[in-house]
Amino acid sequence: MDKLMLGLRGCDKLSALKAFNSKYSDFSCQDVPGDTISDLWDLVFRNLDVPQLQKDVLLCCKTVARDKKAAKLVTPQLFARLLEIGQLTNIHEDSVLDDSVIQARRAVFNFTYHNQLCQSACIEASADINLIDELQQFNNSQVYDLRLLNCKLAFLFTAVSKEMRERVVENHGIAILTRIMYFVIYNGDDAKQARIESGKKYSSKGASIVLSEEEIALAKGQDNKMIEVALASKTRTISM
C-alpha cells in the first residue's frame, strides 16, 4: 500500500499501479490504517481521468473495494465518478461498452455490496433503472463477461435495496433478467442446456457452476415466486 501511494504521488504512477495490481489479487486492508486508505482513495480520484492510467486505476479500485473496511471509506466524489465511467448514470444507444466501463462496473459492484452510502448513491443516480434499460436492449452478440456482469449487478441492486427492487419490478426487470439469464446460462449450447435442465454441473469460461432448483427456475422463467427467492439469495454474492 505504501509503495503504491508513493508511486501515485511520484512520477512513475503507471508502474506503481501495475505492480500493485499484479501483486494483490486477494487484497485485505485489515492492518492498514483508515487514514491511509482515505488518502489512497483521494489519490486514486485525482488520477482516475488520466487516460494512460485509467484502466489500472479502475482495476486498483475494484481490487481494494473487495475489502469492507476500504469500501466504507470511499469518497462520494470517487464513487459518483465510477458511476459515470460505468455509464450507469445515463444510458445511450450509441454507448461504447469498452474495458473501462466494465472495470468501473466491477468496482461499483464491490462498493455497493459493502457500503450503504454507495447504495443510496445508486438509487439517486437511478443506476438500477438505467441498467435495466440497457439490459432491455440486450442482444446475444454482447460478450459473455459483460452480459454476466450486468446480470450480477442488477441482482445486487435488487438484493441490497427495497426501493431499487421495487423499481426493477415496475420496469419489468424480472422478465428482462430471466430472458437474459436464459441466454447467459444456456450460452447457445445444447449440451449445456441439457445439463441445466437436469441440474448438473457444467463448466463455462473456466468456472464451474452448480445450479440450484431456484436458479433452474430462474433460467426458465417458470415461477415468479421462486425467482424472488433466487433474487434474495444473491445477497451471498462474492465480490468481483
Side-chain angles (χ1 to χ4, degrees):
M1 175 72 81
D2 290 338
K3 290 182 179 179
L4 170 63
M5 294 182 64
L6 286 172
L8 287 174
R9 290 192 179 102
C11 297
D12 197 7
K13 297 179 177 66
L14 184 59
S15 295
L17 283 164
K18 287 187 177 297
F20 175 85
N21 290 332
S22 64
K23 182 177 181 180
Y24 295 102
S25 57
D26 295 313
F27 184 81
S28 176
C29 295
Q30 292 178 355
D31 300 321
V32 182
D35 56 349
T36 301
I37 297 172
S38 296
D39 288 344
L40 169 67
W41 289 140
D42 181 59
L43 287 167
V44 164
F45 179 66
R46 293 182 198 176
N47 292 280
L48 189 55
D49 288 306
V50 179
Q52 64 268 32
L53 299 177
Q54 188 176 69
K55 179 179 177 181
D56 291 282
V57 170
L58 288 170
L59 185 56
C60 175
C61 283
K62 181 201 76 170
T63 301
V64 180
R66 290 172 181 162
D67 186 272
K68 185 175 182 179
K69 175 183 175 181
K72 284 183 176 294
L73 293 173
V74 68
T75 63
Q77 296 85 351
L78 173 56
F79 187 73
R81 185 66 188 117
L82 289 172
L83 287 174
E84 291 174 356
I85 296 173
Q87 296 183 11
L88 291 168
T89 55
N90 52 10
I91 301 296
H92 302 288
E93 291 185 6
D94 57 349
S95 296
V96 178
L97 300 177
D98 58 16
D99 190 57
S100 292
V101 173
I102 294 173
Q103 292 299 339
R105 290 187 182 184
R106 286 174 173 160
V108 165
F109 183 102
N110 290 345
F111 282 120
T112 303
Y113 182 73
H114 289 302
N115 190 325
Q116 288 187 344
L117 292 178
C118 292
Q119 295 165 19
S120 297
C122 288
I123 294 172
E124 185 176 349
S126 297
D128 53 323
I129 298 174
N130 293 326
L131 184 62
I132 291 298
D133 286 345
E134 180 184 310
L135 287 169
Q136 195 165 14
Q137 302 168 20
F138 162 82
N139 64 75
N140 204 33
S141 64
Q142 288 182 349
V143 295
Y144 179 91
D145 287 345
L146 175 60
R147 285 181 286 165
L148 191 57
L149 170 60
N150 286 343
C151 286
K152 285 182 176 180
L153 192 53
F155 280 131
L156 179 66
F157 286 157
T158 63
V160 299
S161 165
K162 180 182 178 181
E163 182 174 345
M164 286 196 281
R165 182 160 58 251
E166 290 174 347
R167 294 197 309 202
V168 167
V169 172
E170 289 172 2
N171 286 272
H172 312 291
I174 297 298
I176 294 167
L177 281 169
T178 53
R179 177 173 62 87
I180 294 172
M181 285 300 292
Y182 179 93
F183 284 107
V184 170
I185 296 175
Y186 284 49
N187 204 26
D189 189 325
D190 291 337
K192 287 177 184 174
Q193 178 174 335
R195 288 194 283 275
I196 286 171
E197 291 176 347
S198 66
K200 293 181 180 179
K201 182 187 294 187
Y202 73 92
S203 179
S204 178
K205 298 291 181 180
S208 294
I209 302 172
V210 180
L211 297 174
S212 65
E213 291 181 2
E214 291 87 355
E215 287 169 318
I216 294 169
L218 177 63
K220 296 178 180 178
Q222 292 177 342
D223 188 330
N224 285 337
K225 182 62 178 176
M226 201 166 282
I227 288 170
E228 292 174 6
V229 173
L231 284 173
S233 73
K234 296 305 170 184
T235 55
R236 299 193 299 271
T237 303
I238 299 174
S239 298
M240 296 191 178

